[in-house]
Amino acid sequence: MSSSSDDMALPATFRKLVCSKLTQHFRDAVSIQTLPMLKPGPQDVLVRNRFTGINASDINKTAGRYNPADKPPFDIGFESVGEVVGVGSEVKHVKVGQGVCFMQNGTFSEYQVLPAKLAIPVPSVQPEHLGLLVSGMTADLSLRECGKIKEGETVLVTAAAGGTGQFAVQYAKQAGCHVIGTCSSDSKAEFLKSLGCDRPINYKTEDLGQVLKKEYPGGVDVVYECVGGDMFHTCLRSLAPRGRLIIIGFVSGYKESQIAAPTIKPNELMGLLAKSTSITGFFLFAFANQWQESFARQAALFAKGAVKVGVDLGKNSEKGAFKGVDGIMDALDYMYSGKSQGKLVVEVNEPLPSPGL
């Protein structure tokens, strides 16, 4: 048995985006399905997704890089915030009308059923809460667990104005670190300054390697590296003795048919040895037992205004704001154009009408 809102008529069908072909070319990989409306099981909730988050790694999912068992068609999308519109008979901690956010595969959908235990209640349904999920938790947990950042250290964040970089900048500053952030435009550099970044570097107008050599001759203690390619090698060479480089991703290589991961050169390997430096990979899903604690920690900071969440719903897109499941494809194109700033979000559904209207 399940229950749903008495005053909310649900549509008979809903639309979702699925991966129907394994390829890193997102538009070629996906198709839109129209399906009968879902019903929650006894321990489930039915959520009307309002906003879904876009991540560079979405194309890794459609390319089949995360799970060899993925066979098309399969659901895609990692995170969402929305309203509960149906609850199972055994669900007690959330009610119909409650705002929730969650991480569960399949969020590129207008409606979604998920185990109630995964639904995190939020005071309001706003896109900023999405930032605290994949992007925020990646920054929070990786800097703690892998970077082991300490007060007084110098931290370099690449793609610092992006969805996860913006949090890495702020959490490193809150830990008492000096923060350097790379970005690709002057407007993004200004955004980084507003987050407290000590030294924004627009790599389109400044040579990152030369800046680091001149202004940070002793090297940097921790690198939060998201880009790969030449950026990775510059960062690796710039580590201070006993420095730590965290590989968050290598977005510059995701669109290749065979993912273009950085290769460590012999002289770089000798540098690692001579300076006792380290390279560590970070994958959020390996830290699932810490998600709840991380989200709560960030939500408390956000509630008191101690962390800013930059959200981009397509403000620099030629097509305008991203809306509906159709807008997800445009949003991925936009992300890889380098124009996005902050957490990239698609408005999947319009706001629910106010009660009584």
Side-chain angles (χ1 to χ4, degrees):
M1 292 290 293
S2 65
S3 63
S4 58
S5 173
D6 294 332
D7 58 2
M8 186 187 304
L10 298 179
T13 62
F14 71 100
R15 302 166 78 229
K16 72 175 181 178
L17 205 63
V18 300
C19 178
S20 50
K21 175 185 175 183
L22 290 180
T23 172
Q24 76 281 10
H25 300 296
F26 193 79
R27 283 187 180 275
D28 295 337
V30 301
S31 60
I32 295 175
Q33 292 184 349
T34 299
L35 300 168
M37 182 51 64
L38 302 165
K39 292 184 178 180
Q43 298 180 5
D44 297 332
V45 292
L46 173 62
V47 177
R48 179 181 186 265
N49 288 332
R50 275 279 285 122
F51 300 100
T52 189
I54 303 298
N55 296 283
S57 53
D58 287 324
I59 67 172
N60 287 336
K61 180 68 174 176
T62 62
R65 292 167 177 161
Y66 286 144
N67 185 355
D70 281 341
K71 304 296 180 188
F74 56 82
D75 291 341
I76 47 179
F78 296 130
E79 56 188 341
S80 182
V81 60
E83 303 97 354
V84 174
V85 294
V87 297
S89 57
E90 299 176 17
V91 176
K92 306 300 181 186
H93 80 289
V94 290
K95 298 179 180 180
V96 168
Q98 170 74 56
V100 294
C101 66
F102 58 92
M103 291 197 303
Q104 169 86 340
N105 192 45
T107 63
F108 290 171
S109 178
E110 293 173 341
Y111 289 81
Q112 186 170 359
V113 166
L114 65 145
K117 64 182 180 181
L118 298 182
I120 305 170
V122 290
S124 60
V125 177
Q126 58 188 108
E128 285 78 7
H129 286 118
L130 277 175
L132 307 180
L133 293 173
V134 172
S135 297
M137 286 198 282
T138 293
D140 176 53
L141 292 173
S142 67
L143 289 174
R144 290 170 180 270
E145 299 293 329
C146 303
K148 302 187 185 302
I149 56 175
K150 298 185 289 289
E151 184 177 358
E153 290 191 315
T154 297
V155 176
L156 169 61
V157 180
T158 64
T164 189
Q166 64 173 329
F167 294 103
V169 168
Q170 294 179 82
Y171 296 153
K173 282 299 295 179
Q174 290 175 8
C177 299
H178 178 93
V179 180
I180 309 161
T182 72
C183 61
S184 59
S185 71
D186 290 340
S187 64
K188 291 183 180 181
E190 289 302 314
F191 172 61
L192 292 180
K193 289 179 183 177
S194 76
L195 300 179
C197 183
D198 297 290
R199 180 59 165 98
I201 300 174
N202 177 357
Y203 63 82
K204 295 287 184 71
T205 59
E206 294 188 272
D207 184 296
L208 175 62
Q210 290 302 313
V211 171
L212 294 175
K213 197 175 200 180
K214 180 181 178 181
E215 298 182 23
Y216 302 91
V220 297
D221 299 296
V222 177
V223 179
Y224 187 87
E225 218 296 89
C226 308
V227 178
D230 292 339
M231 183 74 76
F232 169 84
H233 295 290
T234 299
C235 293
L236 183 56
R237 292 192 297 267
S238 302
L239 281 175
R242 302 176 77 173
R244 290 87 71 197
L245 187 151
I246 314 166
I247 297 178
I248 302 300
F250 22 92
V251 65
S252 64
Y254 288 170
K255 297 189 83 171
E256 304 299 326
S257 56
Q258 295 294 321
I259 193 165
T263 302
I264 299 175
K265 302 171 184 177
N267 64 319
E268 293 172 336
L269 190 59
M270 288 304 299
L272 282 171
L273 179 63
K275 294 193 291 184
S276 294
T277 53
S278 62
I279 301 173
T280 306
F282 178 86
F283 189 56
L284 181 60
F285 291 86
F287 293 81
N289 64 325
Q290 297 184 49
W291 288 358
Q292 188 172 0
E293 180 184 353
S294 177
F295 183 85
R297 183 165 51 234
Q298 295 181 89
L301 290 171
F302 178 64
K304 64 182 183 181
V307 63
K308 299 177 182 178
V309 182
V311 169
D312 190 342
L313 284 152
K315 61 183 177 182
N316 294 318
S317 169
E318 296 175 356
K319 296 186 177 182
F322 303 123
K323 293 180 179 289
V325 292
D326 312 75
I328 293 169
M329 292 175 277
D330 291 333
L332 258 295
D333 290 341
Y334 177 73
M335 170 173 278
Y336 278 92
S337 75
K339 295 178 182 177
S340 64
Q341 178 177 298
K343 180 64 183 181
L344 187 53
V345 173
V346 173
E347 185 177 13
V348 178
N349 276 303
E350 295 284 338
L352 285 171
S354 299
L357 293 182

